[in-house]
Amino acid sequence: MSRISIVLTLLLSVQMGTSQKTLQQVLGDDTRPARENLRIQVKDSLGNRGYLPVSVVKGKGEGPTFTIVAGVHGFEYPPIVATQQLMQEIKMDSLLGTIIFIPIANRSSFYSRTPFINPQDKVNLNNAFPGDPRGTITQRLAHIITENIIPVSDVFLDIHGGDAPEDLLPFICYYNNKKRPKQTQQAKALSEASGFDYIVSYPYTLSDGEPAKYTFKQAVQDGKTALSIECGKLGNVQKEAVALIKKGVYNMLAEMKMYGGGKRPIHHPTRLNSQVYIRSKEAGIFYSFVKAGDSVSKGDIVGRTTDEFGRELAQYKAPVSGIILYNLATPAITKGNTVMCISRFLEENR
């Protein structure tokens, strides 16, 4: 047994108890097809308790392991609903390889309807990687994903959407990690196969010793092919967003020859590879003059903030020309909030 397998067995036996199989046991079992639903128990020294739900679906034949994570932010509903439907729709007899589903990574955020953070410890799971086995409950959740889910994944897909206050343009994204060209090329190919109209590549400048912070960036740092879908907005379920996420997943599974039903898109997606963020410098009431998907020119006034009496505190101008990927679309604003992200394509960032 390898060192990683020993660590997996010991850690998950402690986290999950003896009443059910460990993840390592499920993955090591040669029985195919098969489905196992696991609850990885987690608690911290502050008395916070919870679990990470994991569903392992093994197809009729051998193949890659494709991991799908939803609900890292529990208020981002279309990814969660789409993943619920995918778990029900995927037929084991038609699947080659294995799909690992984490249907709601941040259960406390989901059930309390809390944007961004886990209300148990006030920590953002998407800012907690690689996690800490001795930290708060969110840091321990991140550690479990880093140590047990990412290592057994060939492809790692983290699905997000616009949180409660965010308007968002649907897109798929990956990191342009030039240190790992094979994984980056596969992430690019899967993005192109997904059918999303917008493909965003982010620069990757992280050293091996730096904390990744973000969920799918941790997978990139650990040498995996990793992507993220961003689809849905404003804290509610849009049926069209759910359908778009599912289509993207089916297309990627078809591209990997794991599952049929995907259709290779024939359209030409818009590529974006440079992002500029506008952040607030004051608290107040925000008025946006644009929406996600709008094109703006450098210098355009894109929003303003007033105090409670209507006195203008600040105007926000576009620092560059480009497309609004996502923006704050509700009035409440505090210092340091991301007002919007403007993305464009730069030839030198190819």
Side-chain angles (χ1 to χ4, degrees):
M1 180 179 289
S2 70
R3 181 175 178 275
I4 289 178
S5 296
I6 294 172
V7 171
L8 280 169
T9 302
L10 292 176
L11 177 60
L12 291 183
S13 294
V14 171
Q15 294 288 350
M16 299 169 61
T18 59
S19 62
Q20 62 176 324
K21 295 179 181 178
T22 66
L23 177 62
Q24 194 271 341
Q25 287 173 333
V26 170
L27 294 174
D29 190 337
D30 292 334
T31 303
R32 288 182 175 275
R35 183 189 300 266
E36 292 279 354
N37 295 327
L38 308 173
R39 290 182 173 91
I40 303 178
Q41 303 295 327
V42 58
K43 60 182 180 179
D44 64 19
S45 61
L46 301 175
N48 296 311
R49 293 176 176 270
Y51 63 83
L52 183 72
V54 179
S55 182
V56 179
V57 181
K58 300 168 72 175
K60 64 179 180 180
E62 297 288 340
T65 297
F66 193 107
T67 294
I68 299 172
V69 182
V72 167
H73 291 143
F75 217 120
E76 297 173 359
Y77 296 139
I80 294 170
V81 173
T83 302
Q84 297 294 314
Q85 293 182 12
L86 286 165
M87 287 193 298
Q88 299 302 315
E89 292 175 5
I90 294 290
K91 295 179 175 60
M92 294 183 293
D93 289 337
S94 301
L95 175 68
L96 296 177
T98 300
I99 302 177
I100 299 176
F101 292 99
I102 300 179
I104 308 176
N106 193 340
R107 293 177 61 257
S108 293
S109 168
F110 176 76
Y111 287 110
S112 64
R113 300 185 178 91
T114 303
F116 303 112
I117 63 170
N118 182 341
Q120 293 175 298
D121 58 2
K122 307 298 190 293
V123 175
N124 184 341
L125 180 56
N126 206 36
N127 198 36
F129 284 81
D132 183 348
R134 294 171 296 278
T136 64
I137 189 166
T138 302
Q139 293 165 333
R140 295 185 188 209
L141 282 168
H143 175 76
I144 290 170
I145 294 171
T146 299
E147 293 297 320
N148 302 291
I149 306 296
I150 292 175
V152 297
S153 305
D154 293 302
V155 174
F156 187 91
L157 174 66
D158 182 24
I159 311 178
H160 285 264
D163 218 304
E166 296 172 337
D167 186 21
L168 180 138
L169 178 70
F171 64 92
I172 189 167
C173 57
Y174 65 94
Y175 282 99
N176 185 17
N177 184 359
K178 296 181 180 179
K179 293 185 291 186
R180 296 187 182 273
K182 180 180 178 180
Q183 290 85 345
T184 299
Q185 183 57 42
Q186 186 180 21
K188 179 181 178 182
L190 289 172
S191 296
E192 292 170 347
S194 71
F196 275 82
D197 289 333
Y198 292 88
I199 298 177
V200 178
S201 61
Y202 293 115
Y204 185 86
T205 58
L206 198 66
S207 67
D208 291 341
E210 291 180 85
K213 294 186 178 179
Y214 307 132
T215 312
F216 91 102
K217 196 173 188 179
Q218 183 66 53
V220 174
Q221 188 181 47
D222 292 346
K224 302 297 181 177
T225 298
L227 312 90
S228 183
I229 286 173
E230 292 276 359
C231 191
K233 58 187 178 180
L234 292 169
N236 60 77
V237 179
Q238 303 90 33
K239 291 182 179 179
E240 62 274 17
V242 172
L244 192 57
I245 291 168
K246 289 170 57 180
K247 183 181 80 169
V249 170
Y250 281 125
N251 283 338
M252 286 187 277
L253 292 174
E255 176 71 10
M256 295 182 66
K257 296 179 172 54
M258 292 179 65
Y259 200 80
K263 294 182 179 179
R264 182 86 184 204
I266 58 174
H267 70 285
H268 299 286
T270 298
R271 301 178 188 279
L272 304 167
N273 64 9
S274 178
Q275 297 78 38
V276 176
Y277 302 89
I278 302 175
R279 291 186 169 85
S280 63
K281 297 181 179 180
E282 70 291 307
I285 301 169
F286 177 66
Y287 298 86
S288 178
F289 301 156
V290 295
K291 63 182 184 300
D294 284 351
S295 295
V296 295
S297 298
K298 182 177 180 179
D300 286 352
I301 299 175
V302 293
R304 71 186 186 109
T305 301
T306 71
D307 64 15
E308 293 88 347
F309 302 103
R311 180 175 63 92
E312 186 173 283
L313 299 176
Q315 285 188 345
Y316 295 95
K317 295 182 179 181
V320 296
S321 299
I323 296 173
I324 307 294
L325 271 189
Y326 53 87
N327 67 295
L328 188 65
T330 55
I333 193 171
T334 59
K335 186 176 180 179
N337 284 168
T338 299
V339 176
M340 63 187 61
C341 173
I342 302 173
S343 193
R344 54 187 174 151
F345 181 80
L346 295 180
E347 189 68 30
E348 58 266 31
N349 289 350
R350 286 177 64 88

